[in-house]
Amino acid sequence: MLLTVSGPAGSGKSTTAAGLAEALDLEHISGGDIFRDLAAERGYSPVEFNELAEEDEHIDNDLDRRLYEIARDRDDVVLESRLAGWLAPDADFRLWLDAPIDVRAARIADREGKAVERAREETLRREQSERKRYDQYYDIPIDDLSIYDLVVNTARWTAPDVLAILTTAIERYDAENDEGRHAIEGVELGGFEA
């Protein structure tokens, strides 16, 4: 089984993806962890590295190629990143998590030990940078949620409740009666076809 978990910063992607991996006995691979490691290795904050990526498309291409290859070549994975749904053309489930910006900023501020207003400002800058790059590099409309099987506003439930909702949906999935599964085709991802 290949699951993707996508959504903006602070939406609960990491918590949910890790919980799904544990509950379903799958491996959890986080694009955000890989991106933050790359930024730290080069001495940048994630926001600065995002902005640098606007000028150097190799940053995104290298990360996204790794995630695409994982999605293409491996099974029993929960792949988590903003673009995971687009990078896994044959995923069994594509999940999108979201929450209002104020909720997400408060979560990020708590996690990173910073003021909420600063977290909000950085998050909005980061999202603007990402939206620009996804459109420019890949022609991906990141706000198009039509590719996702489930979209959840994580501010409406607790993290354990979100996990329970998604786990129940996945466990009750019946491949023989699935009339909605579809592969994503025709998206050009930095020279590799999805």
Side-chain angles (χ1 to χ4, degrees):
M1 177 174 284
L2 173 61
L3 308 177
T4 68
V5 179
S6 301
S11 62
K13 286 186 312 300
S14 297
T15 299
T16 303
L20 284 170
E22 183 176 339
L24 301 170
D25 196 26
L26 304 171
E27 181 181 4
H28 172 213
I29 298 174
S30 169
D33 287 349
I34 295 169
F35 188 85
R36 284 185 286 278
D37 289 346
L38 290 171
E41 286 171 12
R42 291 171 171 90
Y44 293 101
S45 73
V47 172
E48 293 167 334
F49 203 51
N50 259 302
E51 291 171 347
L52 180 62
E54 287 180 24
E55 300 168 16
D56 182 359
E57 67 185 73
H58 293 96
I59 293 170
D60 282 321
N61 286 340
D62 290 344
L63 171 65
D64 297 337
R65 181 180 304 278
R66 280 193 222 177
L67 296 173
Y68 171 78
E69 289 171 354
I70 289 167
R72 181 193 64 203
D73 299 338
R74 294 176 57 188
D75 290 321
D76 298 330
V77 169
V78 177
L79 188 62
E80 169 211 344
S81 82
R82 297 268 197 294
L83 292 182
W86 294 94
L87 295 172
D90 296 313
D92 293 293
F93 286 97
R94 292 182 195 94
L95 310 171
W96 180 268
L97 306 180
D98 206 347
I101 182 61
D102 292 337
V103 171
R104 294 187 295 112
R107 290 174 179 171
I108 293 167
D110 185 54
R111 178 179 71 211
E112 297 179 5
K114 60 178 71 168
V116 173
E117 189 51 43
R118 179 176 169 207
R120 186 180 196 285
E121 178 185 315
E122 288 176 353
T123 300
L124 291 173
R125 274 180 47 208
R126 180 176 173 185
E127 289 173 4
Q128 180 180 15
S129 173
E130 290 170 346
R131 184 174 288 108
K132 177 180 176 182
R133 293 192 331 268
Y134 300 154
D135 183 54
Q136 178 183 359
Y137 297 163
Y138 306 136
D139 197 26
I140 289 177
I142 195 64
D143 297 324
D144 176 3
L145 304 183
S146 66
I147 69 163
Y148 297 97
D149 300 302
L150 292 169
V151 176
V152 178
N153 176 351
T154 62
R156 308 270 330 244
W157 296 278
T158 65
D161 289 339
V162 169
L163 181 59
I165 291 165
L166 296 176
T167 302
T168 299
I170 293 164
E171 288 175 340
R172 292 191 178 179
Y173 171 67
D174 178 2
E176 290 182 21
N177 292 314
D178 183 354
E179 296 177 342
R181 183 174 179 179
H182 67 283
I184 296 174
E185 299 174 355
V187 175
E188 184 68 28
L189 296 171
F192 52 101
E193 187 72 21

